[in-house]
Amino acid sequence: MTVEIGVEEIEDIALGATVLGTGGGGDPHVGKLVAKQAIEEFGPVELVHPDELSDDAFVVPTAQMGAPTVSVEKLPSGQEAVDSLERIERELDQEVDATMPIECGGINSTFPFAVAARRGLPVVDADGMGRAFPELHHETFNIYGVSGTPAAVSDERGNTCLIETEDNEQLEWLARGVTVRMGGVAYVSDYPMTGTQVKDTAIPGTMTLARNLGRELRVAEDDAMDAIRDVTRSSIYGEAQSLFEGKIVDVQRRTEHGFVFGHVDVDGLGRDEGSSMRIEFQNENLGAQVDGEYVATVPDLITVLDRETGGPIPTESLRYGARVRVLGIKTPEIMRTPAALDVWGPHSFGLETTYKPLEG
Amino acid sequence: MTVEIGVEEIEDIALGATVLGTGGGGDPHVGKLVAKQAIEEFGPVELVHPDELSDDAFVVPTAQMGAPTVSVEKLPSGQEAVDSLERIERELDQEVDATMPIECGGINSTFPFAVAARRGLPVVDADGMGRAFPELHHETFNIYGVSGTPAAVSDERGNTCLIETEDNEQLEWLARGVTVRMGGVAYVSDYPMTGTQVKDTAIPGTMTLARNLGRELRVAEDDAMDAIRDVTRSSIYGEAQSLFEGKIVDVQRRTEHGFVFGHVDVDGLGRDEGSSMRIEFQNENLGAQVDGEYVATVPDLITVLDRETGGPIPTESLRYGARVRVLGIKTPEIMRTPAALDVWGPHSFGLETTYKPLEG
């Protein structure tokens, strides 16, 4: 069944992506504006499930890369990422059949729809993070053996860098350096794949999941927790569970090497009175401890909701005194294998704990 | 007439390149070792004058890029630069007919001979700086309209970045960022050119000039100044002249953005007793003032010689107490046009003076 993504569906995906972004992933508002503008100009975009792809389909994910704070000041048109996509086509002498998000949280959940609208391409209903993560090797594509290169990094002035390496961590390292030189924001097309590789490595259905989360949140009003529970219950993720409720008493942030590191402390209220939670983050929420014991870590989703409005709060908007509810969502098996935990488990982010898989 | 460059000629070129390097350009010793090793293994290299190139010859300059201090610790094989050259061949689907130095001072005067020996290519007897300069857009190729890209930057791990831009300053900016990420040293192939473009834009005969300088310096013993005078007198450069003699009384250096900035102060001796000279540098010597008045600036050559041994002293080896003779060499007309001075005249390096052309 073909699903068409118009401006209303983009609104839903962007809202749902704030839950899946686990506090990071860049401002979905920017991706939403760019995608809506492109769809208004070029028409709606077809969303295709990985199973609908032919095995030899040529799929190239597209994304914005760089500091989220910069992206609001320099609103892209989507053409910048089309440039990087077409650089890959030229390099591999093959026309792209579809694009795909590299992550389903934050700005990059909707950004590929701008590329797709401009180029008349479908978007694959899947991604490579199943949430948001900070770096380009944090991808199931990398974990399950797809080369990230040739990868093209482009900017709004028409400059491009085509990167080739056998090491996807080197791709991240080099592309990040280029992004900084391009002014802090760049547009990347990487992990060129066949349809078979998409089916074997991508996390399926995450665009639909984001859309369903957004649609239900939009009508849920103050009952966000129930809406999120309902949607996640029938997904390949686990049913969302409330990990903690309380009041923010401290927020520490520092920016290093283009990432935002820090933690937020929450004093318990209601059922959690007398306890306290600490959430550590690097762009995205990485781990949550209650009274010093980890109750959830990467790759499982840890999302902070406003306790009054139910809306997800990105790490950059966490403020002293805010009443919050912290929820956890179990991730699908493809994100929790030993190979996956090597790349994005707690140790890979420097958390001093083994992975405590959320159930549910 | 075909000239063959073997290990002895490499010794000469490297020594001559210390004069043309005007204090910078990276340690010629490194380029010399790499070139000699490649020539011993693969045989001597043919040196061809630009006039001998067919108009449609495909010429791609090769160079090491990055911090000179790093290059001694990480001795390259020459294959790293062959990788970048072959990346350009693959991109443009054309076999290279010759390589060429981008500068005739410092490490990059001899480095292309390692590439040439390994690939069985000739080296063009010419370069794009006529001396050493710190950045990739400091090239007559850039000044006279050749695109620097596609340019390939490679490292010893087999990673490559292919850069495309319409702005050669952006090439420098992006390639420098990639070089830093590649560990401080990388290998670049840029300004792919036709034979006609080489004839129109390169500074001809500079490898022969470097070789002649080196050969004469080798036999001159303590009469270096006369040797340099003799060789330059019969070149397209002006006859070398002694600008100042004295004792170093102060050296200031600071490293910023991968460049070494600073100045050296010299108190006059002999005929210059009672005067003092200041030489400002950014990797290379930029300008020389006597008692506050500029007597020479970029692009003319300012080279500091050891007053006893006659050997050129790179900026990194300038030391308090050393007795030195400072010489100036007038550059050829192609390096002094208004277009050239826009790119590498005193103002482009922040010197507060107009260009005072050396005569001679």
Side-chain angles (χ1 to χ4, degrees), chain B residues 220-285:
Chain B
E221 298 190 351
D222 58 353
D223 212 0
M225 190 64 209
D226 276 353
I228 296 172
R229 263 204 202 100
D230 286 345
V231 174
T232 49
R233 189 183 304 127
S234 60
S235 77
I236 59 172
Y237 291 64
E239 181 180 324
Q241 48 190 288
S242 180
L243 298 178
F244 201 77
E245 289 182 47
K247 187 186 113 172
I248 295 179
V249 293
D250 192 27
V251 186
Q252 299 286 335
R253 281 190 202 87
R254 61 182 202 282
T255 302
E256 270 176 28
H257 311 297
F259 299 114
V260 181
F261 295 85
H263 66 257
V264 57
D265 287 331
V266 184
D267 271 3
L269 292 174
R271 67 158 209 207
D272 294 311
E273 188 80 45
S275 285
S276 71
M277 173 175 266
R278 167 164 292 189
I279 303 173
E280 295 159 287
F281 53 81
Q282 177 186 345
N283 291 14
E284 288 77 38
N285 299 324

Side-chain angles (χ1 to χ4, degrees), chain B residues 159-208:
Chain B
N159 300 327
T160 66
C161 270
L162 189 80
I163 299 172
E164 287 167 295
T165 175
E166 289 176 7
D167 177 348
N168 293 334
E169 290 195 41
Q170 284 285 308
L171 164 62
E172 158 64 26
W173 177 246
L174 295 171
R176 189 74 51 183
V178 169
T179 297
V180 169
R181 289 264 154 163
M182 284 180 168
V185 174
Y187 304 89
V188 64
S189 294
D190 56 0
Y191 293 98
M193 271 180 277
T194 63
T196 299
Q197 286 177 307
V198 173
K199 293 172 210 183
D200 288 348
T201 69
I203 302 151
T206 49
M207 289 298 98
T208 295

Side-chain angles (χ1 to χ4, degrees), chain A residues 5-286:
Chain A
I5 303 296
V7 291
E8 193 178 322
E9 289 76 17
I10 291 294
E11 290 277 359
D12 290 341
I13 292 172
L15 184 52
T18 58
V19 177
L20 300 175
T22 70
D27 188 352
H29 186 64
V30 173
K32 184 174 84 176
L33 289 180
V34 177
K36 282 170 67 178
Q37 196 173 40
I39 286 171
E40 274 160 8
E41 190 174 351
F42 297 94
V45 171
E46 198 185 333
L47 186 68
V48 300
H49 193 273
D51 293 343
E52 296 175 73
L53 293 172
S54 72
D55 286 350
D56 62 355
F58 182 42
V59 180
V60 180
T62 46
Q64 191 191 72
M65 182 161 183
T69 45
V70 178
S71 61
V72 186
E73 294 153 26
K74 290 173 71 173
L75 202 66
S77 73
Q79 184 57 40
E80 310 84 354
V82 171
D83 288 348
S84 77
L85 188 79
E86 293 180 347
R87 185 65 191 82
I88 298 287
E89 287 182 314
R90 188 150 60 82
E91 175 62 17
L92 297 178
D93 195 21
Q94 196 175 356
E95 248 190 64
V96 165
D97 296 308
T99 187
M100 185 162 70
I102 62 168
E103 59 191 326
C104 63
I107 181 174
N108 283 322
S109 58
T110 47
F111 198 82
F113 290 93
V115 176
R118 286 182 163 268
R119 272 291 306 269
L121 294 172
V123 167
V124 182
D125 185 4
D127 78 297
M129 292 186 177
R131 48 173 286 164
F133 273 121
E135 301 186 77
L136 289 184
H137 59 282
H138 295 135
E139 291 286 340
T140 48
F141 317 141
N142 169 45
I143 292 164
Y144 300 114
V146 178
S147 171
T149 68
V153 186
S154 59
D155 68 16
E156 77 284 0
R157 283 162 294 190
N159 301 328
T160 66
C161 272
L162 189 79
I163 298 172
E164 288 168 294
T165 175
E166 290 177 6
D167 177 347
N168 292 333
E169 289 194 42
Q170 284 284 309
L171 164 62
E172 158 64 26
W173 177 245
L174 294 171
R176 188 75 52 183
V178 169
T179 297
V180 168
R181 290 262 154 162
M182 284 179 167
V185 174
Y187 303 88
V188 63
S189 294
D190 57 0
Y191 294 97
M193 270 180 278
T194 63
T196 299
Q197 285 177 308
V198 174
K199 293 173 210 181
D200 288 348
T201 69
I203 302 152
T206 50
M207 289 298 99
T208 296
L209 174 62
R211 183 190 165 195
N212 292 344
L213 279 169
R215 187 175 50 202
E216 295 307 314
L217 278 172
R218 203 140 55 103
V219 297
E221 296 189 352
D222 59 354
D223 212 359
M225 189 64 209
D226 276 353
I228 297 172
R229 263 205 202 101
D230 285 345
V231 174
T232 49
R233 189 184 304 128
S234 59
S235 76
I236 59 172
Y237 290 63
E239 182 180 324
Q241 48 191 287
S242 179
L243 298 176
F244 202 78
E245 289 182 45
K247 188 185 114 174
I248 294 178
V249 293
D250 192 29
V251 186
Q252 299 286 335
R253 279 189 204 88
R254 62 182 202 282
T255 302
E256 271 175 30
H257 311 296
F259 299 113
V260 181
F261 295 84
H263 66 256
V264 56
D265 289 329
V266 184
D267 272 1
L269 292 173
R271 66 158 208 204
D272 294 309
E273 187 82 44
S275 284
S276 73
M277 172 175 267
R278 167 165 292 190
I279 302 173
E280 294 158 287
F281 52 80
Q282 176 186 345
N283 291 13
E284 288 77 37
N285 299 324
L286 301 176

Side-chain angles (χ1 to χ4, degrees), chain B residues 57-72:
Chain B
F58 182 42
V59 179
V60 180
T62 46
Q64 191 191 70
M65 182 162 184
T69 46
V70 178
S71 60
V72 188

